[in-house]
Amino acid sequence: MNREYYGKLVFELSRPGRRGYKLPSNHLEGNVEQLPKDLLRQEAPELPEVDELTLVRHYTNMSNNNFGVDTGFYPLGSCTMKYNPKINDEMATLRSMAGLHPKQPVATTQGALEAYYILQRSLSEIGGMAEFTLNPYAGAQGELTGLMVIRAYHESRGDSKRVKVIVPDSAHGTNPASAAVAGLKVVEVKSLPDGTVDVEALRPLLDDTVAAVMMTNPNTVGIFEYNIPEIAKIVHEAGALMYYDGANLNPMLGKARPGDMGFDVMHINLHKTFSTPHGGGGPGAGPVGVRAGLEKFLPNPRVVRQDDGSYKLVYDKDSLGQVSCFLGNFAVELRALSYILSLGAEGLMLAGSLATLNANYIKEALRDLYLLPIDRVCKHEFVFDGLIDKSTGVTTLNIAKRLLDHGFHAPTIYFPLLFHESLMIEPTETESRETLDEFIAVMRDIAREAKDTPEIVKEAPHNTPIRKPDDTQAALNPVVTYKDLKA
Ligand SMILES: *Cc1c(COP(=O)(O)O)cnc(C)c1O
């Protein structure tokens, strides 16, 4: 990249008096004195002054520094970062959909409501649930919504003693956080060495103060929780409900349904399993499904199909209320629907199987060099505990950084917390055999380098635009505006 633009903020390219755009005049000009004084700016804002070409080059060069699933292999574990087929974007940006106003009369939005309804039904079928709300904006908000449903259910039976939520030690951090935000107390249950929840440790924790048990299946180490039927039985006997964190639904698609396993409430991360883009933290959607009998507690509004085939918005009086504006992230929902309809039932089932096959393929090809703490057939992802040979001092962080030199995104590192040197790999279903083989070859090269020339790995990355930022300082004192930089 040209030095003139490289690593510079647009403010640093600014020169007084340059300009690339002029606002059209508007009818408010000359009427400024009619605006309330205390709302008027006292000084002009500090904006960069650049010509159009400088601006275009600035953003184009910056976008070239970005890495995404459209650029290369992105093997993050836990957060499914799958390819987002372009047909989904096409559907979401159709003028007839993107141009709608949420306050339009429902008589004029029947097509959009029908799409919404079909997605509610499709997710219910995939999850084995009676009904879904699409309103929550993310998995974490889905968890909160689901726990609010569970609270509303217990309260509706006059059972107010249930203030605890049991969460496995392998759980994603959002599980205990959501429970706390829902006003519930978190109790941890430990896992067995094989990564699954310890049923014998769970048993004594279950009593009439437990509202729910939250589980992820396959769990965050990519292992199928084969004891779910037994767990669901003892949880239900104790009067509590089963919550399914659907972030890892991908390998289950068309194979196994949370509803059939005994879960009562679940969420799905559309931006994971259903391929809607979620770079940079958003936007997402975390629809929540419930088994029969819990529908009335779901958030308002829901879309219902009437006998004459038309659709309407329903506000239930027993509902826990509204958790998002209007109907949630509609464009994300449309992308998910497009993905489901373009793959169909067979395609979805194949996606889950291929995700599982690809993960096991990489695991088996590297297990002679990388430490495999849980030696079982995995689902869509698995965890290495760093290199087998610890004598070189090469850490998981070093390996992750060295991968960047080879044009791969790093896997998830130091999560889950069950192991010291966690390196969590999820290839997803869409990667070709060639890409998987190339990744395996590079991982084998890095293991060899760690032995022969460990300094090369420890000092990586060597050829990325930015080499080694100070992670601690970046977290403690983030510089996020031009003013912070100048300060
Ligand atoms: C991603 C994830 C979540 C949280 O979902 P968000 O959509 O990021 O809020 C919860 N649990 C697990 C296991 C996850 O991987």
Side-chain angles (χ1 to χ4, degrees):
M1 190 195 300
N2 190 312
R3 241 170 223 265
E4 193 185 340
Y5 302 98
Y6 189 77
K8 282 195 184 146
L9 299 174
V10 68
F11 287 94
E12 294 169 289
L13 300 170
S14 174
R15 295 294 175 273
R18 296 227 176 121
R19 102 179 145 194
Y21 185 73
K22 191 165 176 282
L23 288 172
S25 60
N26 68 57
H27 65 285
L28 286 176
E29 249 165 60
N31 291 332
V32 170
E33 59 279 2
Q34 290 177 23
L35 295 172
K37 279 272 173 309
D38 58 332
L39 294 183
L40 282 181
R41 206 184 255 293
Q42 301 307 313
E43 287 162 30
E46 197 179 335
L47 296 176
E49 297 178 74
V50 290
D51 55 276
E52 181 177 312
L53 180 56
T54 301
L55 189 73
V56 167
R57 286 190 181 148
H58 170 70
Y59 282 110
T60 306
N61 281 311
M62 208 155 59
S63 74
N64 286 342
N65 273 342
N66 236 345
F67 191 97
V69 75
D70 286 359
T71 328
F73 187 44
Y74 206 130
L76 275 199
S78 185
C79 244
T80 300
M81 297 295 279
K82 58 163 80 174
Y83 174 63
N84 319 122
K86 300 306 166 213
I87 180 83
N88 303 347
D89 283 331
E90 234 174 273
M91 294 303 114
T93 50
L94 284 177
R95 245 180 79 82
S96 55
M97 290 292 170
L100 294 175
H101 192 283
K103 289 210 158 184
Q104 255 173 259
V106 290
T108 67
T109 59
Q110 286 293 306
L113 294 182
E114 181 175 8
Y116 199 89
Y117 179 82
I118 296 172
L119 184 58
Q120 284 180 179
R121 292 316 316 150
S122 305
L123 296 181
S124 301
E125 181 61 33
I126 290 167
M129 294 282 154
E131 182 65 286
F132 255 85
T133 172
L134 310 184
N135 300 12
Y137 288 128
Q141 201 194 0
E143 291 168 24
L144 175 61
T145 305
L147 290 170
M148 285 160 69
V149 167
I150 290 171
R151 270 188 73 155
Y153 160 74
H154 289 308
E155 275 163 21
S156 75
R157 298 179 303 121
D159 186 349
S160 53
K161 282 200 304 287
R162 298 189 181 266
V163 292
K164 290 191 215 153
V165 173
I166 299 177
V167 174
D169 57 1
S170 64
H172 191 271
T174 51
N175 290 185
S178 303
V181 174
L184 297 160
K185 209 170 142 260
V186 181
V187 179
E188 194 174 272
V189 57
K190 66 179 175 54
S191 302
L192 293 166
D194 74 357
T196 62
V197 166
D198 184 346
V199 184
E200 293 320 311
L202 176 62
R203 225 179 276 279
L205 300 177
L206 292 169
D207 58 25
D208 61 0
T209 64
V210 176
V213 174
M214 295 179 91
M215 287 186 68
T216 309
N217 192 26
N219 59 28
T220 61
V221 268
I223 298 294
F224 189 81
E225 294 274 1
Y226 51 86
N227 281 322
I228 295 272
E230 170 69 7
I231 292 174
K233 185 167 155 277
I234 60 176
V235 168
H236 288 145
E237 278 168 7
L241 297 187
M242 290 282 287
Y243 184 93
Y244 179 83
D245 176 338
N248 289 349
L249 187 67
N250 204 36
M252 301 285 100
L253 287 174
K255 293 263 188 259
R257 307 193 307 170
D260 300 337
M261 293 176 206
F263 286 97
D264 305 288
V265 181
M266 68 178 288
H267 80 259
I268 291 177
N269 307 58
L270 294 187
H271 45 288
K272 295 182 180 172
T273 312
F274 294 99
S275 97
T276 70
H278 70 296
V288 169
V290 293
R291 68 158 164 76
L294 298 173
E295 301 96 323
K296 62 181 179 183
F297 302 116
L298 285 173
N300 281 330
R302 275 186 296 137
V303 174
V304 168
R305 185 183 154 97
Q306 305 185 93
D307 290 342
D308 66 359
S310 67
Y311 298 88
K312 67 168 183 179
L313 297 179
V314 171
Y315 293 81
D316 205 306
K317 67 168 176 33
D318 292 320
S319 161
L320 55 84
Q322 204 155 345
V323 299
S324 62
C325 297
F326 306 108
L327 290 165
N329 258 333
F330 188 55
V332 170
E333 291 150 7
L334 279 176
R335 285 182 177 89
L337 179 63
S338 163
Y339 180 73
I340 291 171
L341 294 181
S342 54
L343 259 67
E346 276 177 27
L348 285 179
M349 196 187 289
L350 192 58
S353 304
L354 286 175
T356 301
L357 178 64
N358 288 354
N360 281 287
Y361 181 72
I362 295 180
K363 170 169 71 70
E364 292 304 312
L366 294 174
R367 59 179 296 162
D368 58 323
L369 296 171
Y370 291 85
L371 186 60
L372 189 60
I374 299 175
D375 186 6
R376 287 185 43 190
V377 173
C378 66
K379 291 296 163 202
H380 61 306
E381 63 191 2
F382 64 92
V383 185
F384 283 135
D385 190 4
L387 286 160
I388 290 177
D389 180 359
K390 303 276 187 229
S391 69
T392 63
V394 167
T395 64
T396 278
L397 179 65
N398 303 145
I399 297 163
K401 296 285 187 196
R402 187 67 178 133
L403 276 170
L404 306 182
D405 283 335
H406 292 276
F408 289 121
H409 195 284
T412 298
I413 57 172
Y414 301 110
F415 178 83
L417 306 176
L418 297 176
F419 315 109
H420 285 297
E421 291 289 328
S422 287
L423 184 78
M424 186 177 204
I425 297 173
E426 175 180 1
T428 78
E429 63 276 13
T430 44
E431 297 300 334
S432 67
R433 172 93 185 254
E434 291 73 24
T435 302
L436 300 182
D437 285 340
E438 182 61 26
F439 177 73
I440 289 165
V442 167
M443 286 290 281
R444 298 192 70 85
D445 280 349
I446 294 174
R448 202 186 47 238
E449 279 178 346
K451 217 179 186 119
D452 301 343
T453 50
E455 292 317 309
I456 290 189
V457 186
K458 288 180 188 173
E459 282 161 24
H462 300 276
N463 50 31
T464 51
I466 293 175
R467 284 198 55 198
K468 267 192 191 295
D470 183 334
D471 295 342
T472 314
Q473 277 307 313
L476 290 177
N477 300 309
V479 176
V480 291
T481 70
Y482 182 51
K483 285 211 175 80
D484 293 339
L485 184 69
K486 285 198 301 184

